[in-house]
Amino acid sequence: MSELLKVEHLTKVFTSGLIGGFEIRAVDDVSFTMRRGEIVSLVGESGSGKTTIGKLILRLIQPTSGRILFEGKDVLKFSRGELRRNYYRQVQAVFQDPFASFNPLHVVDRSFHLVFDSYFPRLDEGEREKLINDALTQVGLNPDEVLGKFPHQLSGGQLQRILIARALLLKPKLLIADEAVSMLDASTRIDVLNLLGDFRDKYGTSVLFVTHDLALGYYISDTTIIMYRGTIVEMGDTERVFHNPLHPYTQMLLESVPDLNVKWEFRGIEPEKEEGAVYSIQGCRYAPRCPRVKEKCFNVRPVLHEVERNHWVACHLYGGE
Ligand SMILES: Nc1ncnc2c1ncn2[C@@H]1O[C@H](COP(=O)(O)OP(=O)(O)OP(=O)(O)O)[C@@H](O)[C@H]1O
Ligand SMILES: [Mg+2]
């Protein structure tokens, strides 16, 4: 599989507008690559920077520093026109809040027609109707039940599936799915996850699957990236990360998932206790909460290094410098 997306030293600092306001390093020196057809899950607790990474890749916000390469091209240099004509045809996204993605004044069908108007203006009514029906059926919706309806007349789960159907209409090379199945009930969720997998198999679509649900990440992804407060603490082959978690934060996360059928030995890590602890700016961000913390962790930022093949960790317990 060849490389599709490369993110290098990506950083986003939000500043509060006030004089003397504080900075939030929402994404801090994040680097990773995605191959064609690869499903990568981006896992981390609320506020760890997952959505910000998605928005940066989509150029919805500007990074403070770093690079984003798509098929080797510098995404940050694309003009508005290039983004619209080219990039957004290949990179599609489904976001967390489906209600925010629809215009409340229009029936949901319109969101499909906007896609057709932009990218396939020559399609006639009949062709459009067939594509919409197929796309909706694929995500388990009955077209008659949703077409002609306003967003407020549909459930969050139905709207989320319409968004997935619309995103897949363009057969994108990359789909950013940000908590895209969170509103679905368990059985539909598995159907939609399987659909994403099938889509990848059929069209080679890569998926950046953003979730705070480890079990979903495990189910769907080839590669797992674990984020903590804007930084990647561990990443690699999903089987390796789940069966041999290295970072104390990953170990704690896995320990707190009761029903995940993963066999790794519990090494006596305590669940975290210091909710909202002030994180270490110079050192490891997890240091104030880490049960295996050493002096060095407060002073020196650990860098990601490969501990076993395709399994990376940023933690002083494993050397690396
Ligand atoms: N526009 C913004 N202005 C200021 N701070 C922001 C902005 N957007 C995000 N943040 C902050 O950046 C951090 C990361 O937010 P982000 O939405 O990326 O987290 P997340 O991992 O997606 O969380 P969740 O799981 O809750 O969706 C948070 O501290 C958030 O408050
Ligand atoms: Mg988010």
Side-chain angles (χ1 to χ4, degrees):
M1 282 193 277
S2 63
E3 194 173 284
L4 180 71
L5 180 83
K6 191 177 181 91
V7 167
E8 290 179 333
H9 305 293
L10 197 61
T11 298
K12 177 67 185 178
V13 181
F14 290 110
T15 36
S16 71
L18 307 167
I19 298 171
F22 59 94
E23 291 188 338
I24 298 167
R25 300 187 76 81
V27 175
D28 194 359
D29 197 14
V30 162
S31 302
F32 65 91
T33 56
M34 285 182 72
R35 288 165 289 139
R36 276 175 215 283
E38 187 179 19
I39 301 187
V40 175
S41 52
L42 198 55
V43 184
E45 65 194 15
S46 184
S48 56
K50 306 179 299 291
T51 296
T52 305
I53 290 180
K55 286 185 176 166
L56 288 166
I57 294 171
L58 286 161
R59 282 276 309 266
L60 299 177
I61 51 175
Q62 277 295 108
T64 307
S65 58
R67 292 216 302 167
I68 302 164
L69 301 171
F70 184 78
E71 297 185 316
K73 294 191 201 82
D74 190 340
V75 172
L76 299 172
K77 296 212 173 108
F78 290 161
S79 65
R80 283 284 136 204
E82 284 168 323
L83 287 174
R84 249 196 340 266
R85 281 192 308 273
N86 212 352
Y87 191 55
Y88 295 150
R89 187 179 177 143
Q90 305 182 67
V91 181
Q92 285 284 306
V94 179
F95 278 108
Q96 231 158 348
D97 177 8
F99 294 97
S101 304
F102 287 92
N103 184 330
L105 302 177
H106 295 287
V107 293
V108 293
D109 321 22
R110 196 175 116 109
S111 65
F112 289 96
H113 290 292
L114 292 175
V115 174
F116 292 135
D117 292 346
S118 298
Y119 298 108
F120 312 105
R122 291 204 201 98
L123 286 181
D124 66 33
E125 269 311 309
E127 289 166 321
R128 286 180 179 218
E129 201 177 310
K130 180 169 182 335
L131 284 169
I132 295 173
N133 284 340
D134 289 350
L136 290 172
T137 311
Q138 235 182 0
V139 294
L141 288 171
N142 177 351
D144 295 336
E145 280 176 23
V146 296
L147 293 176
K149 297 259 172 72
F150 289 93
H152 73 269
Q153 295 174 310
L154 297 169
S155 73
Q158 284 173 318
L159 292 176
Q160 231 167 9
R161 278 184 282 169
I162 294 174
L163 289 172
I164 293 170
R166 186 185 66 174
L168 296 180
L169 209 56
L170 290 168
K171 303 193 174 57
K173 289 182 182 167
L174 173 62
L175 175 71
I176 298 177
D178 189 342
E179 303 285 3
V181 296
S182 56
M183 279 202 171
L184 307 181
D185 52 63
S187 61
T188 320
R189 188 181 293 155
I190 292 298
D191 287 346
V192 172
L193 289 183
N194 289 336
L195 167 75
L196 294 181
D198 292 347
F199 214 81
R200 178 269 297 273
D201 296 342
K202 213 158 150 192
Y203 301 108
T205 297
S206 308
V207 183
L208 185 62
F209 186 77
V210 175
T211 184
H212 50 251
D213 188 331
L214 279 166
L216 294 184
Y218 182 63
Y219 183 78
I220 194 176
S221 61
D222 308 302
T223 295
T224 296
I225 299 178
I226 310 279
M227 301 259 323
Y228 183 76
R229 298 214 174 185
T231 61
I232 295 179
V233 293
E234 181 159 357
M235 73 177 177
D237 181 74
T238 294
E239 289 295 329
R240 294 202 179 98
V241 171
F242 279 74
H243 289 279
N244 182 26
L246 298 171
H247 200 285
Y249 178 62
T250 316
Q251 294 176 355
M252 186 281 296
L253 280 181
L254 280 172
E255 187 51 32
S256 50
V257 181
D259 57 354
L260 193 60
N261 187 21
V262 170
K263 296 179 218 83
W264 74 281
E265 245 174 80
F266 178 48
R267 297 165 201 175
I269 306 297
E270 302 258 304
E272 57 195 277
K273 22 194 183 306
E274 273 188 87
E275 205 47 56
V278 178
Y279 58 77
S280 169
I281 300 286
Q282 296 166 344
C284 174
R285 295 199 160 188
Y286 192 56
R289 289 157 87 170
C290 183
R292 299 173 76 184
V293 68
K294 305 188 277 189
E295 188 59 37
K296 188 182 183 185
C297 306
F298 289 102
N299 306 316
V300 183
R301 169 77 63 93
V303 289
L304 269 181
H305 60 281
E306 200 168 12
V307 171
E308 56 177 333
R309 202 171 64 77
N310 199 11
H311 189 178
W312 305 68
V313 70
C315 177
H316 291 311
L317 289 171
Y318 306 92
E321 276 100 276

